[in-house]
Amino acid sequence: LGSSGAGGGVAGKRAVTMASSSSRQKSREDYRRAMELEEARKAGLAPAALDEDGKEINPHIPQFMTTAPWYMQSDGPTLKHQRNWKKEVEDAEEAKEAAKGKDQWYQRGKKTFQATKYRKGACANCGAMTHKTKDCLERPRAKGAKWTNKNIAADEHIAEVRLGYDGKRDRWNGYDARDFAKVQQRYEKIESAKQEEAKKRELEEKFKDEGGGEGDGEGEFLLKDEEEAGFNKVEKRVRTTAGGATGSVRNLRIREDTAKYLLNLDVNSAHYDPKSRSMRADPNPDLPDSEKNFRGDAHLLREGEVQAWNRLVLHQGQLSGAGQGHHMQALPSQAEALYKEFKAKKEKVAAKSKTNVVDLYGNAARDDKIDQRLLVGQTERYVEYNRRGQVVKGEENRVASRYEEDVMVNNHTSVWGSWWHDGVWGYACCRQTMRNSYCTGQAERDEGNHGEAAGTAAREVAVGAGGDGRKMLKPRGAGEASASAGAAGYQGKQQTWGEHQEVALDEEKLKVALAKEGERVKARAERDERKR
């Protein structure tokens, strides 16, 4: 029996061991059921698992996070092992300290102990033990309490207030709302005094107006001067450096003045902003300035010191773009000094440039003009002329030119282009309008035909329409009298002012000259025909 009993005990222990191992290890069926339950929880078909505190566990959390370590001795899924235990302890201690010192603050002005004699280590000025001499807030004494041993100051109450990050930065920390009751009481007294004064004034006006009769009742609808003045006051938002502040700004327009929007009733005229009561553009730009009473609000920005300020801002912006500028609001005096220096340099450069241009090209507008003879230059060359302008002694100075100077052709005494008539150029000596024609003298000018007959006759001779082509031109008139008159009226090149000279023309030479001229004109006409 004993052996059987011992054998039965060993068998029972093995059975317990196997049962415990079987309980720890899941079978294939149990594992399949667990996986199906997990999928159902992820799909939302089954309720989520609960931890030890009864809180739901997100089914999407991985298994290695929900499974607790072996030393936690946890039977089911939990997240307790994932929490920061140290953080919770610190939060609890801070909450406890905050609850303890919630009603504590610095008790300003509270004294604790009043000493009768100076103590070692106390303030040498007032004798208090709670601060040093350099931190003493009392007036420096001629002889401190350390040497006089009199008027020892009491020790201050030092409170140790532990504050967190937010508490140190709380601007209302330590504020007692009961202190505001004094402010409320003060304003209530002021308001009650105002109401009493207003009521007293109202009673005085009422008793004063009782003797006026009932006929004065119509005046209660009229506005007083003080009330009417209130219409000119506009309440608006005024921007200040510390923020916005509501203030009263008076409207400077007089009620009798014409409103801006009535100056020009055209719908396409200047825009009027009714909110700000501003009209930037000129409503009547076509009227002269003497007839305008208003030229637009933006007109003020183009007058006075505004333009100088704009130039200063522009100059500072250009310097800032080049990396040499300064902040105008931070250094206004330095910015003004830099702008003045820039203007001085600019004026100096402009004056130098103007001087260089004047020195190079001269200035025709100045009063003290330089003599032209000085500009050409002075030499020791001597030239002497007679009364007719001929060089008697020396050599005449001629201006260098690509054309021959003072060379007259065909007996002309003036150059081509010295006469202009009805849009046609000609010679001033005979007033003929045909170039390279032979000069007919003064007779043609005196008759007033401006050389038209002579020009026609010359053309006829050139083309051969009037005879053999060698007929001499005759001035208008008949007989030798007109010919002699024309010859007598001719003034040669050497004639000077105030002299009369008779010139006789050589008929043979004249015929030869006319023949050459006819051939030349004919050759030119043939060349023109070939070009066509």
Side-chain angles (χ1 to χ4, degrees):
L1 291 172
S3 61
S4 62
V10 173
K13 184 180 292 185
R14 289 178 179 176
V16 171
T17 304
M18 291 176 64
S20 61
S21 62
S22 63
S23 63
R24 290 180 182 178
Q25 296 180 359
K26 295 181 181 180
S27 62
R28 181 177 296 177
E29 187 69 19
D30 294 340
Y31 183 76
R32 184 181 60 80
R33 291 177 181 176
M35 294 299 295
E36 291 178 356
L37 180 61
E38 184 179 356
E39 294 294 335
R41 286 174 176 172
K42 290 182 179 180
L45 302 177
L50 302 178
D51 60 356
E52 297 176 355
D53 298 334
K55 299 179 180 180
E56 294 183 353
I57 300 177
N58 191 346
H60 298 283
I61 296 178
Q63 185 180 3
F64 71 89
M65 295 182 64
T66 58
T67 304
W70 58 270
Y71 53 82
M72 292 290 296
Q73 298 180 0
S74 177
D75 296 334
T78 180
L79 296 176
K80 190 176 182 179
H81 59 282
Q82 298 288 349
R83 295 170 186 161
N84 188 0
W85 295 91
K86 187 176 180 181
K87 181 75 167 52
E88 293 181 358
V89 173
E90 291 178 355
D91 293 344
E93 292 179 357
E94 289 181 1
K96 184 177 180 181
E97 291 292 337
K100 179 180 178 182
K102 187 175 181 180
D103 298 333
Q104 295 181 0
W105 192 246
Y106 305 102
Q107 299 181 9
R108 306 182 187 278
K110 184 178 181 181
K111 306 298 181 181
T112 56
F113 176 72
Q114 178 67 53
T116 56
K117 61 180 181 179
Y118 180 77
R119 294 161 292 177
K120 185 178 180 180
C123 176
N125 185 45
C126 64
M129 289 288 296
T130 52
H131 62 267
K132 299 298 181 181
T133 306
K134 63 179 182 179
D135 300 329
C136 185
L137 300 179
E138 284 194 9
R139 178 182 58 84
R141 303 180 184 180
K143 291 184 178 182
K146 180 178 180 180
W147 296 275
T148 59
N149 208 11
K150 296 179 180 178
N151 299 328
I152 305 297
D155 299 341
E156 298 94 349
H157 175 71
I158 299 178
E160 184 179 358
V161 180
R162 299 180 58 185
L163 300 175
Y165 180 85
D166 296 335
K168 292 178 180 179
R169 291 159 179 80
D170 187 8
R171 60 181 299 190
W172 295 100
N173 198 358
Y175 174 74
D176 190 2
R178 291 172 295 182
D179 296 340
F180 189 67
K182 300 178 181 178
V183 181
Q184 291 178 334
Q185 293 175 3
R186 176 174 174 270
Y187 276 92
E188 286 177 358
K189 290 181 181 179
I190 295 175
E191 191 65 26
S192 61
K194 287 182 179 179
Q195 292 179 0
E196 291 179 0
E197 185 68 22
K199 190 174 182 180
K200 181 179 178 181
R201 194 184 309 110
E202 183 180 357
L203 292 175
E204 290 178 356
E205 293 178 358
K206 183 177 180 180
F207 287 117
K208 186 186 299 182
D209 297 339
E210 281 184 355
E214 298 180 356
D216 298 337
E218 300 177 356
E220 63 184 12
F221 296 101
L222 299 178
L223 294 176
K224 299 179 182 179
D225 295 338
E226 299 83 9
E227 297 176 354
E228 187 178 1
F231 284 103
N232 292 332
K233 190 162 64 174
V234 180
E235 298 288 340
K236 63 164 62 173
R237 197 77 173 171
V238 181
R239 280 189 285 175
T240 60
T241 55
T246 303
S248 61
V249 180
R250 289 192 174 274
N251 185 13
L252 301 179
R253 185 178 73 85
I254 306 176
R255 308 301 296 181
E256 287 78 8
D257 291 346
T258 306
K260 300 176 183 178
Y261 53 85
L262 297 178
L263 295 176
N264 191 349
L265 300 180
D266 187 5
V267 294
N268 296 324
S269 62
H271 173 68
Y272 176 75
D273 185 13
K275 186 174 182 180
S276 60
R277 299 182 182 179
S278 62
M279 180 180 289
R280 296 183 177 274
D282 190 354
N284 298 312
D286 300 333
L287 294 179
D289 294 342
S290 58
E291 300 180 6
K292 292 181 183 179
N293 296 326
F294 177 73
R295 290 184 286 178
D297 296 330
H299 180 71
L300 299 176
L301 302 178
R302 298 187 293 268
E303 291 183 348
E305 299 180 354
V306 180
Q307 293 297 325
W309 170 257
N310 292 337
R311 288 191 291 269
L312 175 60
V313 173
L314 178 61
H315 173 257
Q316 199 64 25
Q318 293 175 353
L319 289 182
S320 300
Q324 303 175 359
H326 301 277
H327 200 280
M328 291 189 58
Q329 280 72 24
L331 301 170
S333 301
Q334 188 171 1
E336 184 72 20
L338 288 176
Y339 183 57
K340 287 183 179 179
E341 183 179 356
F342 168 74
K343 288 196 299 183
K345 290 183 179 179
K346 185 177 180 181
E347 292 175 358
K348 186 176 180 181
V349 171
K352 184 177 180 181
S353 176
K354 182 179 179 181
T355 305
N356 294 338
V357 172
V358 171
D359 294 342
L360 183 60
Y361 299 103
N363 186 6
R366 62 185 181 185
D367 297 333
D368 51 340
K369 293 184 179 180
I370 303 177
D371 191 359
Q372 297 295 326
R373 293 174 296 180
L374 298 178
L375 296 178
V376 174
Q378 297 179 356
T379 61
E380 296 180 357
R381 182 173 49 85
Y382 176 77
V383 182
E384 185 177 347
Y385 299 90
N386 58 8
R387 297 179 60 187
R388 297 184 179 182
Q390 296 176 345
V391 179
V392 177
K393 186 178 181 180
E395 183 180 357
E396 187 178 7
N397 185 21
R398 297 181 178 272
V399 180
S401 174
R402 61 182 297 184
Y403 301 102
E404 295 180 354
E405 301 289 341
D406 299 333
V407 176
M408 308 299 174
V409 295
N410 297 335
N411 206 25
H412 286 286
T413 59
S414 59
V415 296
W416 169 260
S418 57
W419 167 254
W420 173 265
H421 178 69
D422 293 340
V424 182
W425 293 101
Y427 295 97
C429 55
C430 57
R431 296 186 181 179
Q432 293 195 63
T433 57
M434 184 177 180
R435 188 171 186 181
N436 294 328
S437 62
Y438 197 84
C439 182
T440 56
Q442 187 72 17
E444 202 69 27
R445 292 184 53 179
D446 295 340
E447 295 189 11
N449 55 5
H450 306 302
E452 295 176 0
T456 306
R459 283 192 293 271
E460 291 178 356
V461 170
V463 238
D468 56 355
R470 287 185 290 273
K471 186 180 296 185
M472 187 182 67
L473 293 178
K474 294 182 180 181
R476 178 171 295 181
E480 298 178 356
S482 35
S484 61
Y490 174 79
Q491 295 180 0
K493 174 183 177 183
Q494 304 300 332
Q495 182 181 358
T496 57
W497 180 259
E499 294 183 357
H500 297 281
Q501 181 181 3
E502 295 182 0
V503 180
L505 297 178
D506 192 354
E507 296 181 1
E508 296 297 334
K509 293 183 180 180
L510 183 59
K511 288 181 181 181
V512 174
L514 288 176
K516 290 182 179 180
E517 179 66 19
E519 292 176 0
R520 190 185 63 80
V521 174
K522 187 176 181 180
R524 178 185 293 181
E526 291 178 357
R527 287 197 301 269
D528 293 342
E529 288 294 334
R530 287 197 298 268
K531 289 180 179 179
R532 293 179 183 176

